[in-house]
Amino acid sequence: MKTYRTILLAIAALGTSAMLAQTNWVGQVEDLMDRGEFKKAEKLMSSLPKKVRAAEEVRIDSLNTIMGRIRKDFNMTPDSGLNLIKAKMPAVTAEHIAKWKRDKKIEYMVIDGKEWWFRKAVRNLWLLADELKEDHDAEKMETYNTRRKYYLEAMRSPADENGLRDWRHMNITFTLDVNADAVPAGETLRVWMPFPYENMRQKIIKLESSNRDVTFSQGSKHHTVYMEAVAEKGKPTHFEYTFSYDVAERHICQQDLLAMLEPYNTETADYKEFTGDYPPHIIITDDTRALAKEIVEGETNPVLQASKIFDWISMTYPWAGAREYSTIKNMPEYVMANGHGDCGQVALLYITLVRSLGIPARWESGWMIHPDEVNWHDWAETYFEGIGWVPTDQSFGRSAVGTPMNSYYTTGIDVYRMASNEAIGDKLSPEKKYIRSETVDFQPGEVEWRKGNLYYDTWKSHLIVNSREKIKK
């Protein structure tokens, strides 16, 4: 079992020596956390010598923060959960509950000797338990028809030699408002917010305006704008900027991929990087290699192997509401252990399994900015020699199982995207001192002041699409 140390080393710059990182008290705290003995873990940290607490301030803050987030996620009593289930299923029995818990349809934890259910456990139950699954066929068909409309719209434009088409000029405003008195008046708020980066599908990126001075990230895989402001008593603090960029749809059908595919050059640095580990969430093991080989059933062509992995995940792991990413030790293991996953979780499972076969894959994420829905979203890219990096949206494909759109998202992505992240869990720029609200991904932003991180309950952010103008070629 992986420890919380793995998470913390990957998510925070702790500013202490390697020796301190291995001290015995850290292992003891992590063991207590693994057993759900949070009060003992907190007591142990509070009883450390004053010099140790001063030197390890950020590590201690991070460990306490993770326990706090787990408590927030697991805040439903079994009695409350049972009453919610009875409202829809009056004949529910103790045997039903025991079975659903055993089958991981109800997610729960024992914390300090008391059982707590995940706050979304009951809502997820109706998505996961076969005997309770509600009929969503009409909703699925509506989603399919909408996404097919976007696909057909894109196909009206000819693709260039890279499979790019349907270029749009996007104009977007991003706002973040910190609650009044979230920090004492006169204190400086530090704020990081998402910004698109240039790649094959995104170009001509421009900051149009901002209400404060902006610093762009340097060297981070999370592309951001950074602002500061001094808090005023009784007043919320507003951050705002507008940017534009050009973005294209990209899709390469399987037949064309097979025709263009070349053998991998396995000696390049990129090949080794994107088929290797990226702790704590992308770990290649004997078990992941064995599972991937079982899924592809003897297939040796990388294009067909990746497609089989994609389809297997789509058929095996339904969507369900996710707990805080920062509290999960390894996302693919979590998906396989619990039998479900959201967009980022299944994307990381896909990346891990195809890398286990020697197929390069990497993370990409940001926002889906469709006319009917604007939201955070995560996907992947798969590298095929002779073609390059090809987008792969595991979660969108999952929602289109049994339709032609499933294969579209295996090696394609629609134009309605704003990508700002090239990897997970990277350091922010300029560097953030305290544990992030989101330690894996980066979409709504991050806020801190000199005494700690500010969590989502102290601020709100919004992405507003001002215009989507089709570019005439």
Side-chain angles (χ1 to χ4, degrees):
M1 180 180 289
K2 294 176 177 61
T3 68
Y4 281 94
R5 182 185 300 112
T6 307
I7 296 176
L8 294 174
L9 289 175
I11 64 177
L14 301 177
T16 58
S17 69
M19 184 178 296
L20 277 173
Q22 301 298 323
T23 51
N24 188 47
W25 71 265
V26 178
Q28 292 175 12
V29 169
E30 291 166 350
D31 289 343
L32 290 168
M33 291 172 67
D34 287 339
R35 297 198 299 268
E37 298 182 36
F38 288 8
K39 289 181 179 178
K40 289 183 180 179
E42 291 164 338
K43 184 177 180 180
L44 191 157
M45 287 188 286
S46 66
S47 65
L48 291 169
K50 187 175 180 180
K51 286 185 177 180
V52 175
R53 282 186 280 121
E56 293 280 53
E57 173 196 5
V58 178
R59 185 188 298 275
I60 291 169
D61 175 79
S62 296
L63 289 163
N64 279 318
T65 296
I66 289 172
M67 287 188 284
R69 291 177 186 179
I70 293 173
R71 285 187 175 112
K72 284 184 177 181
D73 258 349
F74 290 82
N75 62 4
M76 182 186 295
T77 66
D79 286 344
S80 297
L82 179 59
N83 289 335
L84 289 173
I85 295 171
K86 282 183 176 179
K88 298 185 75 171
M89 184 183 177
V92 66
T93 65
E95 288 73 23
H96 285 123
I97 300 297
K99 179 180 183 299
W100 291 330
K101 287 166 62 178
R102 186 172 60 251
D103 294 344
K104 304 295 181 69
K105 309 303 182 183
I106 292 177
E107 190 171 357
Y108 72 97
M109 289 185 69
V110 176
I111 302 173
D112 296 324
K114 186 174 181 180
E115 181 179 316
W116 294 95
W117 288 14
F118 177 41
R119 60 189 175 86
K120 298 178 182 178
V122 175
R123 183 170 56 180
N124 284 348
L125 181 62
W126 262 260
L127 297 169
L128 301 173
D130 290 336
E131 63 271 39
L132 296 178
K133 285 181 180 177
E134 297 174 333
D135 184 3
H136 293 290
D137 286 348
E139 181 181 335
K140 289 178 181 177
M141 184 55 65
E142 182 180 358
T143 298
Y144 167 73
N145 287 334
T146 298
R147 292 177 182 170
R148 178 170 168 76
K149 180 180 69 175
Y150 299 148
Y151 165 77
L152 293 174
E153 183 180 47
M155 293 305 109
R156 296 190 189 105
S157 303
D160 66 13
E161 66 276 9
N162 294 312
L164 296 161
R165 69 179 92 213
D166 198 24
W167 284 93
R168 306 296 175 97
H169 180 71
M170 306 298 300
N171 186 280
I172 289 174
T173 296
F174 195 92
T175 65
L176 190 150
D177 292 276
V178 181
N179 295 351
D181 303 320
V183 300
E187 294 287 352
T188 298
L189 291 163
R190 307 179 69 213
V191 176
W192 295 257
M193 295 167 286
F195 198 70
Y197 70 98
E198 185 149 342
N199 59 21
M200 183 180 285
R201 302 189 322 274
Q202 293 183 163
K203 65 181 184 179
I204 314 178
I205 299 163
K206 181 181 178 183
L207 178 68
E208 301 287 353
S209 63
S210 64
N211 73 329
R212 303 181 189 279
D213 291 340
V214 164
T215 299
F216 292 100
S217 56
Q218 300 292 324
S220 174
K221 296 296 185 181
H222 301 297
H223 296 269
T224 66
V225 296
Y226 171 81
M227 299 184 193
E228 293 184 357
V230 175
E232 297 181 47
K233 185 174 178 59
K235 295 182 180 180
T237 309
H238 180 71
F239 300 85
E240 179 176 321
Y241 58 103
T242 296
F243 59 93
S244 62
Y245 65 103
D246 293 352
V247 60
E249 183 266 3
R250 188 170 191 237
H251 169 246
I252 303 178
C253 69
Q254 187 178 95
Q255 182 178 351
D256 290 341
L257 288 172
L258 290 169
M260 294 186 287
L261 185 67
E262 299 174 4
Y264 284 117
N265 181 351
T266 59
E267 298 304 314
T268 67
D270 278 354
Y271 180 86
K272 292 175 181 178
E273 176 182 355
F274 294 111
T275 55
D277 292 346
Y278 193 97
H281 296 293
I282 303 173
I283 306 291
I284 313 304
T285 66
D286 290 342
D287 287 342
T288 64
R289 292 188 185 96
L291 175 59
K293 288 179 181 178
E294 180 182 339
I295 293 167
V296 301
E297 300 175 310
E299 179 58 62
T300 58
N301 185 290
V303 172
L304 299 179
Q305 286 180 324
S307 180
K308 283 180 173 286
I309 295 290
F310 185 96
D311 290 343
W312 180 81
I313 294 173
S314 294
M315 296 295 294
T316 306
Y317 298 110
W319 184 92
R323 55 188 280 196
E324 288 290 338
Y325 280 10
S326 61
T327 70
I328 300 174
K329 299 176 184 179
N330 178 280
M331 217 80 74
E333 289 180 0
Y334 174 86
V335 173
M336 291 187 287
N338 289 277
H340 61 81
D342 72 352
C343 59
Q345 293 166 342
V346 294
L348 285 166
L349 177 58
Y350 171 84
I351 291 168
T352 299
L353 289 177
V354 296
R355 285 192 184 192
S356 296
L357 294 170
I359 301 171
R362 67 186 182 189
W363 175 271
E364 190 171 68
S365 71
W367 287 72
M368 49 185 286
I369 50 174
H370 299 74
D372 59 317
E373 185 176 8
V374 174
N375 209 340
W376 313 344
H377 193 53
D378 311 325
W379 57 93
E381 291 186 306
T382 313
Y383 183 83
F384 299 110
E385 197 76 48
I387 300 97
W389 290 102
V390 176
T392 304
D393 193 331
Q394 180 70 68
S395 193
F396 267 42
R398 174 177 56 184
S399 67
V401 168
T403 76
M405 293 302 294
N406 181 66
S407 60
Y408 171 76
Y409 287 111
T410 307
T411 54
I413 201 166
D414 55 65
V415 71
Y416 300 110
R417 308 292 172 125
M418 193 280 280
S420 57
N421 304 300
E422 299 180 77
I424 59 171
D426 202 9
K427 292 179 181 178
L428 296 182
S429 170
E431 195 165 333
K432 192 175 188 294
K433 179 178 180 181
Y434 293 96
I435 185 173
R436 287 160 42 186
S437 294
E438 168 57 275
T439 60
V440 179
D441 212 353
F442 183 93
Q443 282 127 337
E446 293 284 340
V447 184
E448 75 173 18
W449 68 303
R450 66 182 177 88
K451 289 191 175 182
N453 178 70
L454 292 186
Y455 202 54
Y456 300 126
D457 53 0
T458 61
W459 54 271
K460 292 285 188 295
S461 64
H462 297 91
L463 184 148
I464 303 152
V465 179
N466 300 317
S467 62
R468 306 178 181 88
E469 297 177 1
K470 193 173 183 68
I471 298 173
K472 294 181 180 179
K473 294 289 186 179

